[in-house]
Amino acid sequence: TKYSSLEVAQGMEELASAGFDANGIYGAMPGLLDLAASGNIDLASAAEIAAAAINGFGLEASDVGHVADVLAESAARTNASVSSMGYSFKYVAPYSAALGVSLEETAAAIGILSDAGMKGTTAGTTLRGMFSRLAKPTNKALGIMQNLGITVYDNEGKFKSISEIIGIVAEKTSVLSEEEKNYAL
């Protein structure tokens, strides 16, 4: 590894601060080293990012390698950096997890928002707000959604995927005038 023993210790300390036990820290280190290297960031920052995603999604310390892969892939394919993805996850991960939205889909949505110029905390806050408004819309929004036939839950009461919801909204608003569509959205 290109990291010194002091840097590794700082990463371990950050994981311990996030509530990881010794076995969890030991198991997380290979993935953490990969995350830090892929994001060109220090290990303490990588540990903070990984811990936000792991704790937010209720994952295990051993999932750090997978978290690192997802964040690195999203950062490589979009205008997001690993650091900005970490900031986003701090704001949206608990909401995503509560609604059953996967780590992968959340990372993809953050990447798309980053491509549109919304990065870091802005992307996380925007996505969190979207989830909040879709999961429990105001009466006015609910009325518009019902009139257009837009549902965000499936027949079993499970929150639909982001891509499915976007597809439904696009389809249902495609017949509206620009003014009506803007109002509805």
Side-chain angles (χ1 to χ4, degrees):
T1 173
K2 71 176 193 167
Y3 299 100
S4 70
S5 57
L6 176 61
E7 291 171 311
V8 171
Q10 289 168 337
M12 290 177 163
E13 181 180 16
E14 188 65 42
L15 290 175
S17 295
F20 288 53
D21 65 14
N23 288 332
I25 292 169
Y26 181 76
M29 288 312 296
L32 191 62
L33 290 165
D34 290 343
L35 180 62
S38 71
N40 198 27
I41 55 177
D42 61 78
L43 280 168
S45 297
E48 185 178 348
I49 291 166
I54 286 170
N55 290 336
F57 280 96
L59 302 172
E60 300 295 322
S62 59
D63 293 322
V64 169
H66 179 67
V67 169
D69 289 345
V70 169
L71 294 175
E73 180 74 15
S74 188
R77 290 179 178 245
T78 68
N79 196 22
S81 67
V82 170
S83 294
S84 70
M85 301 248 344
Y87 288 120
S88 298
F89 272 107
K90 287 180 186 180
Y91 287 86
V92 74
Y95 287 85
S96 293
L99 292 172
V101 178
S102 70
L103 168 76
E104 295 80 2
E105 190 169 24
T106 302
I110 291 167
I112 291 167
L113 288 172
S114 294
D115 285 347
M118 290 185 259
K119 295 182 178 188
T121 58
T122 303
T125 303
T126 300
L127 199 52
R128 179 184 68 193
M130 181 192 82
F131 286 149
S132 178
R133 287 184 201 99
L134 287 173
K136 189 174 188 292
T138 64
N139 288 335
K140 185 175 181 179
L142 183 59
I144 292 170
M145 290 169 67
Q146 288 173 339
N147 286 340
L148 293 173
I150 296 171
T151 59
V152 296
Y153 293 97
D154 65 16
N155 293 337
E156 297 173 1
K158 185 179 175 197
F159 195 75
K160 294 178 180 177
S161 72
I162 298 169
S163 58
E164 189 176 1
I165 292 169
I166 290 171
I168 292 167
V169 170
E171 175 193 336
K172 299 294 184 174
T173 60
S174 67
V175 298
L176 302 177
S177 70
E178 187 176 335
E179 181 181 1
E180 292 169 325
K181 184 176 182 177
N182 289 337
Y183 177 78
L185 293 174

